[in-house]
Amino acid sequence: QVPLVESGGGLVQAGGSLRLSCAASGRTFSNSAVGWFRQARGKEREFVAMIYVGSGGTAYADSVRGRFIIAGDNAKTTVYLQMNSLKPEDTAVYYCATRRQGPYYSGSSYDNWGPGTQVTVSS
């Protein structure tokens, strides 16, 4: 397994933007599917977005569709999550992981989780 590392979190005002990165630590994602999830304090982890690195196919949670964009770089070493029009309810620790099998929106379908990066949106 290739350890994943998230970065790019921080504090931003409502309406602002952040770009998160998920790196494969020196290796490529090949044709894997990579997902972003988030967990707010006191809440369960929830699906945010997923990309098939090989084909570029994507899926989004309803709560972020139209505001967030998931994309991969040409080298297939990094997956990005561009977050626009951020809201206070987007505040959470954001994680990336590699999908193995099962529904794309279920955390149990993924492994190789990174340590997460905190995103805080102030009102």
Side-chain angles (χ1 to χ4, degrees):
Q1 293 186 343
V2 178
L4 303 183
V5 179
E6 305 94 341
S7 62
L11 173 65
V12 63
Q13 290 187 333
S17 298
L18 281 175
R19 188 177 78 161
L20 305 184
S21 299
C22 173
S25 298
R27 297 185 61 180
T28 71
F29 286 114
S30 185
N31 292 316
S32 300
V34 177
W36 283 97
F37 287 74
R38 66 187 182 186
Q39 187 166 20
R41 184 175 300 178
K43 296 187 177 181
E44 294 186 353
R45 181 178 59 193
E46 65 174 356
F47 169 75
V48 176
M50 183 274 294
I51 185 169
Y52 290 101
V53 175
S55 68
T58 59
Y60 295 92
D62 289 343
S63 59
V64 307
R65 187 176 292 112
R67 299 188 298 123
F68 290 11
I69 301 171
I70 188 170
D73 68 346
N74 290 334
K76 299 184 180 180
T77 60
T78 306
V79 169
Y80 302 100
L81 185 68
Q82 176 67 42
M83 306 187 296
N84 302 318
S85 302
L86 282 162
K87 305 174 181 180
E89 51 263 43
D90 294 317
T91 295
V93 177
Y94 284 70
Y95 302 89
C96 65
T98 304
R99 182 184 175 201
R100 294 307 176 196
Q101 60 182 7
Y104 67 84
Y105 50 81
S106 174
S108 62
S109 301
Y110 295 77
D111 62 10
N112 208 22
W113 294 85
T117 185
Q118 176 71 49
V119 171
T120 303
V121 184
S122 63
S123 57

